[in-house]
């Protein structure tokens, strides 16, 4: 990899990371019906990084969003941080799997939906093993899957629209 290519890659990771942190910060300033219920708009940058630059870039963008965003919003090392960390790692793994195995047949929207669903499953896992010892918690799984499909679809559509605009100017 030449120096110019490496510099361009680092610049794009920094842009995606800044976008993720900015969106995360703004979203956390907005009121929500429940404290843990967020759309996850910052994940647009993670999805873009994954499909544009690959897993390492997406992981760096996710970590920037998680760590810097939670420091800025005062959520660093709070329960929200750990819910987001576990959900995000599981979501990134699911998106990577869908991206690698289904790249030719699954769109960026499908990749994002996988991330949304598995992020919510990850959060339920944290809740089940760290907070709520009752297996009745799993009754919420269908609701969390529906929410994940909805938010993942929205995030994926926005990511796709951004991809199209980038290609337009490239």
């Amino acid at each position: 990899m030449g120096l110019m290519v490496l510099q361009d890659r680092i610049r794009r990771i920094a842009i995606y990371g800044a976008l993720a942190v900015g969106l995360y910060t703004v979203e956390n300033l907005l009121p929500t019906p429940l404290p843990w219920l967020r759309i996850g708009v910052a994940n647009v940058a993670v999805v873009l990084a994954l499909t544009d630059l690959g897993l390492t870039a997406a992981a760096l963008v996710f970590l920037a969003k998680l760590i810097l965003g939670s420091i800025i919003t005062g959520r660093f090392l709070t329960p929200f941080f750990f819910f987001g960390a576990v959900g995000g790692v599981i979501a990134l793994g699911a998106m990577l799997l869908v991206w690698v195995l289904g790249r030719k047949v699954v769109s960026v929207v499908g990749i994002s939906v996988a991330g949304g669903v598995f992020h919510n499953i990850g959060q339920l896992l944290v809740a089940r093993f760290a907070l709520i010892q009752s297996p009745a918690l799993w009754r919420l799984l269908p609701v969390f899957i529906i929410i994940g499909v909805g938010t993942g679809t929205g995030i994926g559509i926005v990511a796709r629209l951004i991809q199209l605009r980038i290609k337009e100017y490239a």
Side-chain angles (χ1 to χ4, degrees):
M1 183 179 306
L3 182 58
M4 295 296 284
V5 172
L6 181 60
Q7 288 174 334
D8 180 61
R9 184 175 175 78
I10 291 169
R11 180 182 54 78
R12 287 169 37 205
I13 292 170
I15 290 168
Y16 289 137
L19 176 65
V21 171
L23 290 172
Y24 180 91
T25 302
V26 169
E27 183 175 20
N28 278 281
L29 294 173
L30 302 174
T32 60
L34 298 169
W36 50 265
L37 184 60
R38 304 241 179 255
I39 295 170
V41 293
N43 292 314
V44 166
V46 177
V47 170
L48 289 170
L50 177 65
T51 57
D52 182 26
L53 300 169
L55 175 62
T56 302
L60 289 170
V61 170
F62 164 70
L63 287 172
K65 172 192 78 151
L66 176 69
I67 295 169
L68 295 176
S70 65
I71 288 171
I72 291 167
T73 60
R75 292 179 170 216
F76 188 64
L77 300 181
T78 66
F80 294 108
F81 175 85
F82 293 106
F83 276 87
V86 172
V89 167
I90 291 172
L92 191 56
M95 289 190 299
L96 175 66
L97 191 63
V98 171
W99 183 62
V100 168
L101 297 178
R103 190 181 317 205
K104 296 190 189 294
V105 294
V106 179
S107 71
V108 69
V109 176
I111 293 167
S112 180
V113 167
V117 168
F118 280 90
H119 188 279
N120 288 350
I121 290 171
Q123 290 188 328
L124 275 178
L125 286 169
V126 172
R128 171 64 176 94
F129 293 107
L131 299 174
I132 301 169
Q133 301 304 314
S134 171
L137 178 71
W138 293 114
R139 292 183 189 147
L140 293 173
L141 184 61
V143 173
F144 274 61
I145 289 173
I146 291 167
I147 291 170
V149 169
T151 59
T153 300
I155 302 281
I157 289 169
V158 170
R160 182 63 185 142
L161 291 172
I162 292 171
Q163 285 177 332
L164 292 172
R165 293 296 280 186
I166 289 171
K167 284 182 184 177
E168 204 174 282
Y169 291 103

